[in-house]
Each structure stands twice: as C-alpha cells, then as structure tokens.
C-alpha cells in the first residue's frame, strides 16, 4: 500500500515538475518574443525619427531658400518687393483718385503686388502625429513629446497661414472674373476703376499684407525653436540606440 502511494506521489511530483518546465519554457518564449517585438518597434521608431529629422531639415531649407528667408534669391527679393508694393497700393487706394486706382491696377497686373507663397512649405506634420500616437510608449525622454508637439504646432500654424495667404489671391481673382472684364483683352477703364475702388479690393490687399507679415513672424519663431527641437530628436535617437 505504501509502495503504491509512493508511486502516486512520484507521478504527481513528476507531473508538477513537467508542468513547471513547460510553463517556464512557454513564458521564456513569450518574453523572448516580447523582447524581439519591442526591439522591432524601437527600430521602426528610430527609422521614423531619423526620417523626420531629414524632413525637418528640408523644411528649414525650404523656408530659407524659397519661402521667407533672408538670402538674396529672386523669390525673396520678389516677396520683399511685394510687401513694399502692398503698402504703396494701400496708400494709393486711400487717395481715392482715378490715377491712384490706375497705378494700383498696373502694379497688380504686372505681378508685382500680390505674391504667392509656396503651398505645403512644411511636410512632416501628419507623419509626426502618427509617430507620436503609435510609438508614444517607446519614447524615453519626456521632453521628446514636448518637441514633437512644438514642431507639429509650428507646421500646422504655418501651413494654415500659407493657405490663407494664397486664398486671398484666389478670392480676389474670382471676384474680378465674376464682376469685371479686367485682366483680359475686354477690359475697359470703367471696370478697372470700379474693381480697384471697391472696398473688397482694399480689404483683400490689407488682409493679405497682414497675413504675410504674421507669416514672417511665424517663420522667425520656427527658426528659434528649430535648433532645440532638432537637438531633442537627436538625443532621443541616442537613447533609443542605447536600449537596442
């Protein structure tokens, strides 16, 4: 009887040992797979952050060389001339004389008054939002989240004002086509004077000038934050590398 009980206890002990071993192997495999999964996620996060750094650099170059920079490019000279001509046009419109209206119209028709801003000057807003949302649990440095939010803010606001700036030009052109035969071979002096003397025209020029001037300020804010944001991304990448 005791012998049978001993055998039973032996079998039970064996079963318990086998269960522990099976559980341990399964758990170890789970931990290994979890570690591999997190490593894979971190590698993806690394790639995305590196990609954003490149895009940020392109954004910076775009502002400096094509949009609102200070270098002596044709684009920048055209924008500066446009701002001067906006102010000149407003002064002429305020004289409320036919000769003043005609001068403004000639400025407009020659392409020296309104200046189009490049659409989509910043590219990475949406991608950065997605990265932050999907990989937030892997971000190591707390300030990285702040830098992501700052850069997203800059890109959203600047793109919004860029869009608004061009919209003023489009709306003014639509107003001209729908109401007057200006900017065409059928234009006449009466239409020119009525078009340029209309309050909508004055308000559009003034609003466009205000938008460009605000955009210049935003460009300055962007560059003041850019270096610290870039350094923050680099530090995050270094920390990610240390965890791989």
């Amino acid at each position: 009887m005791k012998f049978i009980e001993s055998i039973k206890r032996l079998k039970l002990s064996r079963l318990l040992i086998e269960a522990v071993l099976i559980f341990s192997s399964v758990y170890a495999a789970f931990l290994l797979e979890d570690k591999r999964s997190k490593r894979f996620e971190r590698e993806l996060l690394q790639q995305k952050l590196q990609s954003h750094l490149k895009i940020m650099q392109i954004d910076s170059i775009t502002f400096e060389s094509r949009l609102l920079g200070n270098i002596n490019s044709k684009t920048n000279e055209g924008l500066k001339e446009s701002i001067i001509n906006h102010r000149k046009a407003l002064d002429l419109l305020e004289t409320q004389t036919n000769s003043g209206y005609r001068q403004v119209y000639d400025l407009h028709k020659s392409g020296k008054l309104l200046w189009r801003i490049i659409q989509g000057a910043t590219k990475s807003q949406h991608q950065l939002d997605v990265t932050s949302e999907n990989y937030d649990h892997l971000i190591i440095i707390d300030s990285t989240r702040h830098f992501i939010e700052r850069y997203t803010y800059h890109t959203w606001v600047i793109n919004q004002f860029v869009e608004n700036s061009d919209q003023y030009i489009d709306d003014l052109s639509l107003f001209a086509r729908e109401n007057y035969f200006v900017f065409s071979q059928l234009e006449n002096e009466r239409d020119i004077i009525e078009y340029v003397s209309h309050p909508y025209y004055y308000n559009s020029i003034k609003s466009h000038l205000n938008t460009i001037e605000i955009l210049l300020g935003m460009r300055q804010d962007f560059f003041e934050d850019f270096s610290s944001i870039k350094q923050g991304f680099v530090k995050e990448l270094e920390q990610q590398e240390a965890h791989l």
Side-chain angles (χ1 to χ4, degrees):
M1 193 73 175
K2 289 182 179 180
F3 179 72
I4 295 173
E5 288 179 357
S6 298
I7 292 175
K8 287 181 178 180
R9 282 198 297 272
L10 183 62
K11 287 183 177 180
L12 181 60
S13 299
R14 183 177 177 182
L15 287 172
L16 287 172
I17 292 170
E18 288 179 351
V20 169
L21 289 173
I22 291 170
F23 174 79
S24 298
S25 62
V26 170
Y27 185 65
F30 170 78
L31 290 177
L32 181 60
E33 185 60 31
D34 184 60
K35 185 176 180 180
R36 287 174 179 170
S37 177
K38 280 196 173 178
R39 180 181 177 85
F40 177 70
E41 280 192 301
R42 287 197 184 281
E43 288 174 347
L44 278 180
L45 176 59
Q46 264 193 322
Q47 292 171 16
K48 290 182 180 296
L49 290 176
Q50 287 168 346
S51 174
H52 288 308
L53 275 172
K54 291 178 182 178
I55 293 172
M56 286 166 63
Q57 192 63 38
I58 292 171
D59 287 346
S60 176
I61 293 170
T62 298
F63 277 122
E64 191 62 28
S65 64
R66 298 178 62 195
L67 183 61
L68 302 171
N70 294 319
I71 61 174
N72 295 321
S73 69
K74 290 182 180 179
T75 299
N76 286 300
E77 291 303 316
L79 177 62
K80 292 172 186 175
E81 185 181 0
S82 173
I83 291 173
I84 293 170
N85 286 334
H86 273 73
R87 293 169 182 154
K88 180 180 177 180
L90 290 173
D91 289 339
L92 288 169
L93 291 172
E94 287 169 1
T95 65
Q96 297 184 350
T97 62
N98 287 354
S99 61
Y101 294 142
R102 183 70 210 206
Q103 287 183 66
V104 172
Y105 181 74
D106 290 340
L107 271 175
H108 191 154
K109 190 173 183 179
S110 68
K112 295 180 181 178
L113 180 56
L114 298 168
W115 192 262
R116 284 195 176 274
I117 305 297
I118 299 169
Q119 284 281 11
T122 53
K123 305 293 184 185
S124 63
Q125 175 192 336
H126 176 67
Q127 297 100 309
L128 202 51
D129 280 340
V130 172
T131 298
S132 177
E133 180 180 342
N134 293 340
Y135 298 94
D136 183 71
H137 62 291
L138 295 176
I139 291 174
I140 297 168
I141 307 174
D142 288 337
S143 60
T144 301
R145 295 175 180 84
H146 169 72
F147 288 130
I148 288 174
E149 289 175 1
R150 288 296 298 169
Y151 192 75
T152 301
Y153 165 79
H154 280 305
T155 55
W156 182 83
V157 172
I158 290 172
N159 278 332
Q160 189 63 52
F161 270 78
V162 167
E163 183 180 336
N164 291 345
S165 175
D166 279 356
Q167 192 62 51
Y168 283 121
I169 301 175
D170 293 336
D171 291 346
L172 200 55
S173 299
L174 180 63
F175 179 73
R177 289 195 301 271
E178 289 183 344
N179 297 279
Y180 306 99
F181 289 109
V182 293
F183 307 122
S184 71
Q185 294 179 345
L186 300 175
E187 67 184 23
N188 57 68
E189 195 70 16
R190 186 185 68 181
D191 276 351
I192 290 172
I193 300 303
E194 285 189 12
Y195 171 63
V196 178
S197 64
H198 198 288
Y200 179 75
Y201 188 90
Y202 178 89
N203 291 334
S204 295
I205 299 299
K206 188 172 184 179
S207 296
H208 191 253
L209 175 61
N210 289 339
T211 301
I212 291 177
E213 288 177 335
I214 291 171
L215 199 53
L216 282 167
M218 290 176 177
R219 178 261 184 201
Q220 184 62 37
D221 291 341
F222 172 81
F223 274 108
E224 286 177 359
D225 269 2
F226 178 78
S227 59
S228 60
I229 292 172
K230 182 179 178 182
Q231 288 173 8
F233 273 56
V234 170
K235 287 181 180 178
E236 178 66 39
L237 279 168
E238 290 172 351
Q239 288 297 312
Q240 290 294 329
E241 184 65 31
H243 277 67
L244 285 173

